Amino acid sequence: MVNRELLAAIRAALEEQADAERGAGAQAYMKSAIPSLGVRVPEVRRLTMAAAAAHPFESPEQLRATVLELWRDATVREERYAAIDLTGLKMAAKDLAMLPVYEEIIRTGAWWDFVDGVAHRICGLLQAHRPAMTEVLGRWSTDPDFWIRRASITAQLKAKAHTDRRLLREVIEANLADPEFFIRKAIGWALREFGKTDPEWVRTFAAEYGERLSPLSRREAVRNLPPEDGTGLPSDDGA
């Protein structure tokens, strides 16, 4: 079932581009127990897509099996990046069966680069399977694992006009009291991104929740909002 030719090609290509000095720095920066080869993320993506084109998948089932084997057996961080890159292939784009794969990546990756790496994929599933994914993300927003909760908040970062405002409010509200930095940052990030589409909704949200929003979340949320004339929430002054 697993596409072993593809796995071999990815691993060989990554090894060929390894830079030990950059890898040591990347491992330290990411506070990673798993070593890094020092291959830049865009280059990992390029190499992975080239390998996938040369060794295409026969079915969505083979794609899922291959992604999971590459993820689980990874000996360097770039192999995990490559596994995430494979989930961006068109074959996986609207496949709800990919959800358990993304959940495993989030729970076992348990760090911001892996979690945020699948946020766009979850957003795609939400657009394609809105009722089912709305229920999932609502449930994720109260999960004991804060990385799963972060994913529920960041899942609509690229949704723009297709953002489900009710769902965005729900997942943020469920996490307002959480002191975890990665949750507070995610709340601010999600609001800041949606503010590019609907600044008045974000302005009203920030005013409504007031001090329930942490200073970090609020600062991020209003950072790029256009100045407001008259009374109300001011534009961010960097304080």
Side-chain angles (χ1 to χ4, degrees):
M1 173 69 77
V2 172
N3 188 337
R4 301 207 175 277
E5 292 82 6
L6 174 58
L7 292 183
I10 289 173
R11 287 168 175 147
L14 290 175
E15 286 287 348
E16 186 176 340
Q17 297 299 317
D19 182 321
E21 183 177 353
R22 187 184 296 137
Q27 184 176 3
Y29 173 73
M30 296 305 300
K31 302 177 182 177
S32 175
I34 187 173
S36 173
L37 290 173
V39 184
R40 299 184 189 279
V41 170
E43 184 66 3
V44 173
R45 185 173 299 114
R46 186 189 71 78
L47 295 172
T48 302
M49 292 300 100
H55 305 281
F57 290 107
E58 297 177 357
S59 66
E61 291 78 14
Q62 186 183 49
L63 186 152
R64 292 195 298 273
T66 303
V67 167
L68 286 173
E69 180 153 323
L70 183 57
W71 175 266
R72 292 167 179 171
D73 293 349
T75 58
V76 293
R77 203 167 190 87
E78 286 84 352
E79 289 178 359
R80 288 194 153 185
Y81 293 154
I84 292 173
D85 288 336
L86 290 175
T87 69
L89 291 171
K90 186 176 181 180
M91 183 180 288
K94 297 180 180 181
D95 185 2
L96 193 57
M98 288 296 298
L99 182 61
V101 177
Y102 301 142
E103 183 170 356
E104 178 169 334
I105 288 172
I106 294 166
R107 291 190 187 278
T108 61
W111 199 240
W112 63 266
D113 55 339
F114 296 141
V115 176
D116 297 348
V118 298
H120 302 337
R121 317 295 194 237
I122 295 170
C123 185
L125 290 184
L126 175 62
Q127 303 312 313
H129 307 277
R130 193 168 288 275
M133 286 301 301
T134 296
E135 190 277 329
V136 167
L137 293 175
R139 189 173 69 250
W140 279 16
S141 72
T142 59
D143 194 275
D145 185 338
F146 77 80
W147 292 113
I148 287 287
R149 287 188 277 115
R150 177 179 170 95
S152 76
I153 297 166
T154 59
Q156 296 195 81
L157 283 175
K158 299 300 181 181
K160 298 182 180 179
H162 299 290
T163 296
D164 182 333
R165 292 164 174 80
R166 184 200 62 77
L167 178 61
L168 182 61
R169 177 183 292 270
E170 176 185 343
V171 299
I172 290 176
E173 189 172 52
N175 289 280
L176 284 175
D178 195 317
E180 169 59 50
F181 169 82
F182 287 106
I183 291 295
R184 292 185 168 190
K185 188 75 171 180
I187 290 172
W189 187 16
L191 290 171
R192 186 179 77 234
E193 283 299 304
F194 189 47
K196 297 174 184 178
T197 298
D198 192 342
E200 289 310 310
W201 188 92
V202 172
R203 194 188 306 278
T204 299
F205 183 98
E208 176 184 347
Y209 284 89
E211 293 185 1
R212 292 183 63 192
L213 275 173
S214 71
L216 171 60
S217 297
R218 182 187 183 281
R219 193 160 56 241
E220 289 293 312
V222 305
R223 173 171 294 172
N224 296 323
L225 292 182
E228 184 183 38
D229 294 329
T231 61
L233 190 70
S235 60
D236 182 40
D237 59 6

